[in-house]
């Protein structure tokens, strides 16, 4: 009983939130570099405010990240010390193709990731690679309009061919797009889309979504052709939506809210647009341009597993005027009165993870992978500089218990679990450093000041024991 043998325990990061080295070794500029910390971040990541060049008024935390570019050996060694079986990370597209539309890749960029994968293999850590974790080369945004333009499908295919060939034998697990449903909530960060005055934003978002979905299917095809051992997953920001009450209007609203996200995964798993979305997009005149060839590609190249992030459940109410809203990973949600909340106002709902796992498995019946789950909190070092992050341990323990129930009692198929994030890094939503998730503390503040020194927190030893006992000893 318990977790299956070979369960993949580990942690997850993203290139843009940890690498830094934004202009080193030929790397090109990307959308994620230009998302500033502070009050304008939200307007930039949602595509409402154009930020195509750095300016002197803003601070851009991705430029230096936590300098993983120069610390990766030290960091992977620490992950190995915790007993990681898997390390989820992403590649920065603009390190490999600085502009995005070149024929020939940048050798220095390819080497960087090859070294990382070799470093992982040295410790028997399986890399799980997200091909796109929110990043898009700025050249593709300025000259093609980002993912709204279907030419990006070909550029992405080229990237995929290059990395699948180069890393054959080193990487087996791939995710095509991080949180593909984020395109609807943060279109500049998620898909390099910046809106012009008077544009039909919804139409553009669904066209970009379609282009990414076709690109994802093409990537799955190429991955399987290059190495039949490759396993390719889709990935979305999950968290079941509860109706605020048993009023059928609230229940209907909850179902519709979930469908906004399931729309993507229904296509990636079943290989076709679901009827509910075809009808709605048609009704609202939002149907993207879909070619007969697209339909074939989608149909033939469905994913091997469903990966998702889970931070919290959501809550929907038909009459939104009456109910307060809660924060939560850029998704608007009614405030659920039964739950506790994090310092950033995100609901904390471990049972919601069991519910989400069951809902996804009931719907898709293919293996799942939890590739993000964690608590963003302020960590205050004690007089010796040590962080006793019992709040983080509590959060993770309760979520791991819920996941265990889903595996042991409900029989869902789960390949692994990677926490967000094993090491402190820049927050995607806020651009802050003080919103920390790690087992490893990084000495760096919100203004970019600090030594970048790495230190183990109390949760480091706790997670080491969780992995060593295959999830039996939760402290
Ligand atoms: C997910 C992203 O949305 O949530 C990560 O895939 C992100 O990139 C994580 O960091 C946590 O969100 P935040 O805003 O606290 O960094």
């Amino acid at each position: 009983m318990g977790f299956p043998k070979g369960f993949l325990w580990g942690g997850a990061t993203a290139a843009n939130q940890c690498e830094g080295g934004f202009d080193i070794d030929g790397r090109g500029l990307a959308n994620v570099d230009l998302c500033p910390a502070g009050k304008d971040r939200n307007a930039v990541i949602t595509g409402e405010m154009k930020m195509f060049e750095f300016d002197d008024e803003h601070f851009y935390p991705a430029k230096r990240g936590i300098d993983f570019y120069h610390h990766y050996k030290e960091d992977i060694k620490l992950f190995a010390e915790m007993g990681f079986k898997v390390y989820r990370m992403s590649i920065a597209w603009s390190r490999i193709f600085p502009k995005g539309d070149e024929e020939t890749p940048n050798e220095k960029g390819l080497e960087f990731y090859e070294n990382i994968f070799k470093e992982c293999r040295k410790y028997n850590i399986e890399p799980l690679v997200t091909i796109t974790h929110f990043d898009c080369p700025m050249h593709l945004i300025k000259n093609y309009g980002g993912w709204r333009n279907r030419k990006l499908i070909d550029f992405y295919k080229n990237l995929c061919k290059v990395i699948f060939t180069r890393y054959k034998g080193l990487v087996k697990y791939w995710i095509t797009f991080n949180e593909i449903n984020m395109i609807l909530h943060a279109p500049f960060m998620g898909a390099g889309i910046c809106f012009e005055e008077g544009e039909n934003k919804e139409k553009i978002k669904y066209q970009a979504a379609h282009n990414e979905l076709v690109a994802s299917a093409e990537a799955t095809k190429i991955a399987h052709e290059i190495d039949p051992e490759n396993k390719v997953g889709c990935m979305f920001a999950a968290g079941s939506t509860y109706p605020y009450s048993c009023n059928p209007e609230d229940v209907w609203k909850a179902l519709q809210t979930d469908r906004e996200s399931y729309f993507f995964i229904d296509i990636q798993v079943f290989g076709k647009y679901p009827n509910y979305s075809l009808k709605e997009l048609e009704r609202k005149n939002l149907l993207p341009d879909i070619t007969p060839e697209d339909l074939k590609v989608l149909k033939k190249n469905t994913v091997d597993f469903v990966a998702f992030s889970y931070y919290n459940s959501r809550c929907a109410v038909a009459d939104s005027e009456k109910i307060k809203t809660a924060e939560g990973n850029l998704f608007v949600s009614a405030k659920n009165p039964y739950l506790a909340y994090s310092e950033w106002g995100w609901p904390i709902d471990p049972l919601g993870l069991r519910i989400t796992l069951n809902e996804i498995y009931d719907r898709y019946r293919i293996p799942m992978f939890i590739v993000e789950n964690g608590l963003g909190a302020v960590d205050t070092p004690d007089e010796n500089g040590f962080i006793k992050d019992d709040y983080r341990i509590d959060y993770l323990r309760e979520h791991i218990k819920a996941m265990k129930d889903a595996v042991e009692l409900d029989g869902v198929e789960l390949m692994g679990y990677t926490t967000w994030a094993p090491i402190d890094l820049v927050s995607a939503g806020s651009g802050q450093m003080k919103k920390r998730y790690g087992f490893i503390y990084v000495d760096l503040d919100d203004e970019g000041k600090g030594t970048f020194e790495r230190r183990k927190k109390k949760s480091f030893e706790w997670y080491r024991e969780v992995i060593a006992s295959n999830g039996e000893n939760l402290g």
Side-chain angles (χ1 to χ4, degrees):
M1 287 297 265
F3 292 101
K5 207 168 159 269
F7 188 76
L8 292 167
W9 295 96
T13 63
N16 77 85
Q17 291 167 260
C18 70
E19 278 180 11
F22 77 104
D23 57 354
I24 295 183
D25 290 335
R27 183 185 178 282
L29 210 58
N31 56 341
V32 282
D33 302 327
L34 288 148
C35 298
K39 65 171 178 43
D40 290 331
R41 186 172 183 88
N42 199 53
V44 172
I45 68 178
T46 52
E48 299 295 339
M49 177 177 171
K50 206 177 222 166
M51 180 73 75
F52 284 5
E53 312 290 337
F54 296 122
D55 65 28
D56 297 334
E57 286 156 46
H58 295 90
F59 171 64
Y60 303 89
K63 279 174 139 182
R64 288 211 298 165
I66 55 160
D67 198 22
F68 179 77
Y69 198 78
H70 296 109
H71 287 76
Y72 75 87
K73 285 194 181 169
E74 179 187 349
D75 295 344
I76 293 171
K77 188 162 184 254
L78 287 165
F79 300 159
E81 218 184 294
M82 279 186 277
F84 277 23
K85 314 283 179 222
V86 65
Y87 170 38
R88 176 184 176 226
M89 49 161 291
S90 76
I91 57 155
W93 188 345
S94 64
R95 242 184 237 299
I96 297 187
F97 287 99
K99 287 160 74 183
D101 59 358
E102 306 93 327
E103 293 280 313
T104 322
N106 171 28
E107 177 55 30
K108 283 271 177 209
L110 285 170
E111 259 172 35
F112 173 62
Y113 294 108
E114 188 172 330
N115 291 338
I116 291 182
F117 302 145
K118 285 187 174 157
E119 201 64 19
C120 289
R121 292 263 164 231
K122 189 167 116 187
Y123 300 107
N124 285 323
I125 297 174
E126 191 73 50
L128 163 60
V129 178
T130 314
I131 300 166
T132 300
H133 192 123
F134 296 152
D135 62 304
C136 184
M138 273 315 290
H139 174 81
L140 297 186
I141 295 173
K142 287 183 185 165
N143 294 280
Y144 300 89
W147 276 100
R148 68 170 76 201
N149 188 331
R150 68 174 294 135
K151 283 196 179 135
L152 265 78
I153 301 173
D154 286 330
F155 304 141
Y156 183 84
K157 277 169 69 178
N158 200 25
L159 169 72
C160 289
K161 272 184 211 147
V162 166
I163 59 173
F164 296 154
T165 308
R166 176 71 173 242
Y167 304 131
K168 186 175 172 178
L170 276 175
V171 180
K172 184 169 118 187
Y173 296 104
W174 302 92
I175 286 171
T176 51
F177 288 91
N178 179 66
E179 296 189 336
I180 192 162
N181 51 334
M182 198 55 93
I183 211 172
L184 303 178
H185 306 272
F188 182 68
M189 189 169 71
I193 291 168
C194 204
F195 299 110
E196 303 296 337
E197 187 86 28
E199 280 190 326
N200 183 340
K201 295 178 190 170
E202 290 304 300
K203 193 157 175 86
I204 290 167
K205 284 196 263 184
Y206 277 98
Q207 184 63 56
H210 175 74
N211 294 342
E212 285 197 355
L213 287 161
V214 174
S216 173
E218 294 275 17
T220 309
K221 177 170 182 271
I222 301 167
H224 290 153
E225 280 167 2
I226 291 181
D227 187 351
E229 290 288 299
N230 275 331
K231 299 271 176 242
V232 186
C234 53
M235 194 292 193
F236 75 120
S240 295
T241 307
Y242 307 150
Y244 189 76
S245 76
C246 53
N247 178 345
E249 300 285 346
D250 287 352
V251 178
W252 178 240
K253 182 79 184 176
L255 184 134
Q256 282 179 308
T257 306
D258 273 342
R259 278 179 168 176
E260 281 173 18
S261 297
Y262 283 141
F263 156 75
F264 296 87
I265 310 305
D266 284 353
I267 296 172
Q268 289 172 298
V269 174
F270 300 133
K272 64 184 186 96
Y273 272 63
N275 288 352
Y276 64 80
S277 71
L278 282 176
K279 290 282 183 195
E280 190 181 1
L281 293 174
E282 218 168 51
R283 208 164 45 240
K284 295 182 172 167
N285 196 21
L286 296 175
L287 213 53
D289 294 330
I290 306 175
T291 69
E293 186 53 32
D294 291 347
L295 294 177
K296 278 192 217 150
V297 171
L298 291 173
K299 182 82 210 155
K300 273 200 182 155
N301 304 287
T302 55
V303 289
D304 301 311
F305 63 94
V306 176
F308 64 88
S309 59
Y310 177 85
Y311 292 92
N312 48 258
S313 56
R314 294 159 195 154
C315 188
V317 62
D319 188 355
S320 55
E321 298 285 283
K322 286 192 193 141
I323 308 296
K324 279 195 187 142
T325 54
E327 300 298 324
N329 213 355
L330 301 166
F331 288 72
V332 179
S333 172
K335 189 155 183 166
N336 183 334
Y338 298 97
L339 301 176
Y341 286 81
S342 79
E343 285 166 285
W344 269 264
W346 292 22
I348 299 177
D349 182 11
L351 181 55
L353 176 57
R354 182 173 177 188
I355 295 168
T356 301
L357 277 162
N358 274 279
E359 273 189 11
I360 297 174
Y361 193 61
D362 282 353
R363 197 174 181 109
Y364 300 118
R365 305 260 158 182
I366 63 172
M368 297 176 291
F369 209 136
I370 300 172
V371 294
E372 285 184 36
N373 174 235
L375 178 73
V378 174
D379 288 333
T380 314
D382 68 11
E383 58 285 3
N384 303 313
F386 188 61
I387 287 148
K388 294 199 190 78
D389 52 346
D390 291 293
Y391 36 90
R392 182 167 295 110
I393 295 174
D394 290 345
Y395 176 99
L396 293 171
R397 183 196 298 111
E398 294 312 307
H399 283 78
I400 293 173
K401 274 189 198 164
M403 158 172 98
K404 197 171 178 192
D405 286 344
V407 171
E408 207 170 77
L409 306 177
D410 310 327
V412 305
E413 271 177 278
L414 190 62
M415 297 161 70
Y417 174 78
T418 58
T419 64
W420 186 269
I423 185 164
D424 296 342
L425 36 63
V426 177
S427 156
S430 69
Q432 293 165 309
M433 259 318 285
K434 75 170 180 214
K435 189 178 187 191
R436 295 175 184 273
Y437 285 87
F439 305 119
I440 301 161
Y441 184 83
V442 177
D443 178 31
L444 189 67
D445 69 14
D446 284 350
E447 279 82 47
K449 293 193 203 81
T451 60
F452 291 88
E453 186 208 343
R454 275 62 171 153
R455 287 203 304 266
K456 297 173 193 172
K457 304 181 195 173
K458 185 176 176 185
S459 54
F460 184 97
E461 180 53 29
W462 173 81
Y463 196 50
R464 198 196 61 72
E465 183 54 36
V466 170
I467 298 178
S469 64
N470 199 23
E472 288 306 310
N473 189 355
L474 298 177

